[in-house]
Amino acid sequence: MSTVKRSTSKPYRITAPKGLDLTDGQMMELYRYILMNRRIEDKLSILYRQAKIVGGLYSSLGQEATSVGTAYALKDGDALAPMIRNLGSYLVRGVSVKDFVSQYTARACSPTQGKDGTAHFGDPAKGLIGCISMLGTLIPVMMGVAMTMKIRKQPNVALTYIGDGGTSTTDFHEGVNFAAVQKVPFILVMEHNQYAYSTHTSMQFSVKDLVTKAEAYGCYGEKFDGNNILAAYDVTRRAREMCVAGDGPVLLESKTFRRKGHAEHDPAGYVLAKIRTEWEKKDPLDAYTRFVLEEKLATKADLDALEEEVAAEINREVDEVLDGPFPDPHKINQDVYAPQEGGQT
Ligand SMILES: Cc1ncc(C[n+]2csc(CCOP(=O)(O)OP(=O)(O)O)c2C)c(N)n1
Ligand SMILES: [Mg+2]
């Protein structure tokens, strides 16, 4: 008699960390952000295939929980520097759908007035420091921002992100080392998504957990499930408290996976199908949806209504932005180094 072997692997579930201080309303706010993050990127991906995106398109598919959860733990006066896969962090900080769509389609109304096609923009009024494309460079920059906060005795923190590949840069070493020596309120979220372009982490470093590097620099570090939005929030909230108490910097390691290629043009044929499937099952939005329903924070009907609302907002903004003009070529140099009144640089 033959026996049929059943898979014993349990479905991926997320749980609320002990001591989580979020209200039901805040947990639903997180839900809206992660949903918005996913749906904006879905739409941008379609626009890319319609040749409406100018330049590269970088996805955070599978990593949205890390962006949204970590950014949500920050407070007014904190400084945040997202990287290109942190669309969700920008959203939490108040950047609009219109800003993203206009930025990627290089319209005159975009945050960079059509001069840059990706997420390279900041907004000091929102405490946002613009992304720098040279990997690692934001670390010493944000370490400096944190140093200013310390000198001014401000109860705030500076936070930025780095990919696993970016941890191999000199700036990573210099920035983290100096931050630890100076004990500044700096949080570095290392997104261990297992690839740097096509390079697997096994070819990038010999440590299993990036967070072990914290000990080498003499600062606190903690790893967390990067697909659990509540874990991302909670670990950052605690890191923030440590930093404000003068016990910074803190290195956080998000264990996650980059579910698309490096950018939209890269089909990532170098990733085994089996591994992709494994991580699809750990989808952070699906997992949080299950949590929200099981904890009765919302009903299926509530979530369907939210889906519709989000889709309507995105479609409305896309139509409006695409109707708008590209920048005036004569203004191409204007505002490149500093805001100018009317004239050109
Ligand atoms: C100093 C530097 N070297 C190389 C590059 C080119 N580059 C851009 S993204 C990238 C891979 C980054 O991988 P990782 O840091 O793991 O971030 P991820 O793309 O996975 O989010 C490379 C090599 C760069 N921008 N800066
Ligand atoms: Mg990576």
Side-chain angles (χ1 to χ4, degrees):
M1 200 175 79
S2 65
T3 48
V4 180
K5 271 199 175 169
R6 295 224 168 137
S7 163
T8 49
S9 69
K10 291 190 194 133
Y12 173 70
R13 306 182 74 78
I14 62 169
T15 51
K18 254 192 199 152
L20 185 76
D21 66 353
L22 294 173
T23 63
D24 290 1
Q26 288 172 317
M27 284 195 267
M28 284 312 294
E29 200 174 21
L30 278 178
Y31 188 85
R32 193 177 196 284
Y33 282 129
I34 191 171
L35 180 68
M36 190 55 115
N37 186 160
R38 176 69 58 88
R39 297 296 172 243
I40 293 177
E41 290 192 347
D42 287 348
K43 190 72 182 184
L44 289 173
S45 186
I46 292 168
L47 293 175
Y48 184 87
R49 280 156 182 75
Q50 294 172 342
K52 290 185 174 132
I53 300 285
V54 178
L57 180 63
Y58 305 86
S59 167
S60 67
L61 181 68
Q63 298 177 230
E64 299 95 333
T66 296
S67 295
V68 173
T70 53
Y72 199 77
L74 298 184
K75 296 205 186 307
D76 282 352
D78 291 346
L80 173 67
M83 290 283 284
I84 48 169
R85 285 191 216 288
N86 299 120
L87 188 145
S89 313
Y90 277 102
L91 291 178
V92 172
R93 214 65 184 181
V95 171
S96 66
V97 180
K98 182 180 177 183
D99 285 339
F100 269 105
V101 178
S102 59
Q103 184 70 14
Y104 275 101
T105 56
R107 290 307 201 269
C109 66
S110 81
T112 58
Q113 302 154 32
K115 292 186 179 70
D116 181 280
T118 48
H120 298 131
F121 62 95
D123 185 344
K126 294 187 172 87
L128 275 172
I129 313 288
C131 165
I132 303 175
S133 148
M134 273 63 74
L135 300 175
T137 306
L138 269 174
I139 299 173
V141 168
M142 293 306 278
M143 183 272 157
V145 172
M147 179 107 126
T148 309
M149 289 165 170
K150 185 183 170 189
I151 292 167
R152 289 182 180 160
K153 298 192 182 353
Q154 235 176 283
N156 287 111
V157 302
L159 181 149
T160 190
Y161 304 88
I162 189 74
D164 36 40
T167 62
S168 301
T169 59
T170 337
D171 273 347
F172 172 88
H173 168 70
E174 292 175 1
V176 175
N177 185 60
F178 200 43
V181 169
Q182 294 293 328
K183 286 199 150 300
V184 296
F186 173 52
I187 301 172
L188 180 61
V189 181
M190 301 177 288
E191 294 198 69
H192 192 166
N193 65 6
Q194 305 184 32
Y195 280 92
Y197 220 118
S198 55
T199 305
H200 187 255
T201 48
S202 56
M203 298 177 78
Q204 185 78 240
F205 40 77
S206 321
V207 290
K208 181 169 165 277
D209 296 324
L210 282 169
V211 76
T212 53
K213 297 190 181 192
E215 197 181 338
Y217 294 109
C219 62
Y220 181 73
E222 194 171 322
K223 61 181 172 179
F224 64 98
D225 175 357
N227 289 25
N228 180 347
I229 194 166
L230 300 174
Y233 163 79
D234 191 63
V235 77
T236 314
R237 176 189 63 80
R238 288 185 287 106
R240 188 186 181 283
E241 274 174 15
M242 285 184 70
C243 283
V244 171
D247 297 325
V250 176
L251 295 192
L252 300 177
E253 179 181 5
S254 159
K255 296 284 191 188
T256 187
F257 192 75
R258 194 196 71 196
R259 295 243 307 276
K260 280 200 172 181
H262 174 66
E264 206 69 23
H265 65 269
D266 168 21
Y270 45 83
V271 179
L272 291 176
K274 181 174 162 275
I275 308 279
R276 277 179 206 247
T277 316
E278 254 171 48
W279 283 91
E280 272 166 23
K281 290 182 191 154
K282 294 186 186 178
D283 183 90
L285 175 58
D286 290 350
Y288 196 43
T289 303
R290 284 194 289 274
F291 177 88
V292 160
L293 292 172
E294 281 164 15
E295 294 297 315
K296 301 201 178 354
L297 299 174
T299 62
K300 173 85 174 47
D302 294 334
L303 298 189
D304 288 348
L306 193 58
E307 273 282 2
E308 270 184 38
E309 183 202 311
V310 162
E313 181 179 345
I314 294 172
N315 290 334
R316 191 176 59 243
E317 297 297 350
V318 168
D319 289 348
E320 199 177 300
V321 165
L322 292 182
D323 265 353
F326 285 106
D328 175 353
H330 296 103
K331 292 186 177 166
I332 200 70
N333 291 327
Q334 196 177 309
D335 295 335
V336 170
Y337 292 103
Q340 301 277 306
E341 274 299 316
Q344 280 185 261
T345 52

